[in-house]
Amino acid sequence: MNNDDTPLIPDAAWLEQRLGEGSLWRPDEAALPAELTHAGSREFLLTVGFPAVRLGIVGIDTRHVRAEDGMEPFDADEIYGERCPDDDSPPTNFCFTVATRYDQHLMLDAADGGITHYDPNGWDHGAGWKGPAADDLPTLSVLFGLIAERAKPWDRPTTPYARPPSRICASACPAGSRTRTTRRSGTKSSSLWTEADPGSWLPAGRPVGDRFRWVE
């Protein structure tokens, strides 16, 4: 792998060379939820596409995006503990699950296109928000491509359809439904992925390049 060849914004050919032919989910305009208002995210999905694969080497699965309700909007204030328990007003901030690793979720922010790590085990006491995970969909897609590039043959990405991930948690429900949460206060963030770090899910001793490093 030559780090000089690692793009900031990948094209479909670069991604499919590493993730496999037909591995990208490229919806049409009608398939994208209206709640996704970030222009850059919409353009990337429509023109390049997002990996819909299972990266067995790290246990990351994104295949659910191909499902009919794969991009179901969630009330970001609700799941991150920013909504008061008695606040029944309509949601205004939305997010979408774009990847899972067991019960952990990577969420796409509908307004700014950032990727956040969400832990559903902490939703009911304002501890679900675990910090930024990636700058945007292109950065996350590049990371997936680099992971796949270094995978052994038996760990290559798989693309058959997978059922959508289970609900974010037992009661943190899609936008429009109501659950009781507490406001997040003093939550410590732990950055997972940014332009400079590839995430805690990479096996030890398997760097993916100088552009990415793990930050504690």
Side-chain angles (χ1 to χ4, degrees):
M1 178 184 66
N2 186 343
N3 291 326
D4 293 337
D5 295 335
T6 304
L8 292 175
I9 300 179
D11 58 23
W14 189 92
L15 289 171
E16 289 195 328
Q17 182 181 359
R18 291 155 178 81
L19 296 164
E21 184 177 355
S23 60
L24 302 179
W25 173 64
R26 189 180 300 114
D28 56 26
E29 186 74 39
L32 289 179
E35 291 85 357
L36 180 57
T37 57
H38 185 252
S41 297
R42 296 185 72 91
E43 181 181 2
F44 183 75
L45 290 172
L46 293 171
T47 59
V48 177
F50 183 70
V53 297
R54 182 179 185 277
L55 296 170
I57 188 173
V58 287
I60 295 173
D61 201 334
T62 65
R63 294 173 295 176
H64 71 279
V65 296
R66 294 187 188 273
E68 184 177 351
D69 60 349
M71 287 289 283
E72 185 174 24
F74 287 85
D75 181 350
D77 292 333
E78 183 79 41
I79 67 171
Y80 293 143
E82 294 289 354
R83 183 182 289 277
C84 294
D86 58 351
D87 182 357
D88 292 325
S89 61
T92 57
N93 298 314
F94 300 95
C95 58
F96 309 87
T97 299
V98 292
T100 60
R101 182 180 187 266
Y102 306 113
D103 64 348
Q104 301 297 294
H105 293 244
L106 294 183
M107 310 297 290
L108 168 66
D109 187 282
D112 68 18
I115 310 295
T116 299
H117 174 201
Y118 172 65
D119 180 1
N121 299 300
W123 79 271
D124 61 344
H125 50 279
W129 189 83
K130 295 301 181 182
D135 291 339
D136 48 33
L137 286 177
T139 302
L140 186 61
S141 299
V142 167
L143 176 61
F144 290 165
L146 294 176
I147 293 173
E149 189 174 53
R150 295 187 63 86
K152 298 295 184 183
W154 52 85
D155 280 325
R156 295 296 185 193
T158 53
T159 58
Y161 172 75
R163 294 181 60 187
S166 57
R167 292 297 182 199
I168 281 184
C169 69
S171 52
C173 301
S177 59
R178 291 273 67 80
T179 57
R180 295 182 62 84
T181 64
T182 56
R183 185 173 295 276
R184 185 177 74 229
S185 59
T187 303
K188 179 182 178 182
S189 66
S190 57
S191 295
L192 294 184
W193 293 334
T194 68
E195 181 65 17
D197 49 323
S200 61
W201 301 338
L202 285 176
R206 298 187 70 123
V208 295
D210 295 337
R211 271 185 54 208
F212 299 93
R213 68 178 185 276
W214 170 237
V215 177
E216 193 63 45

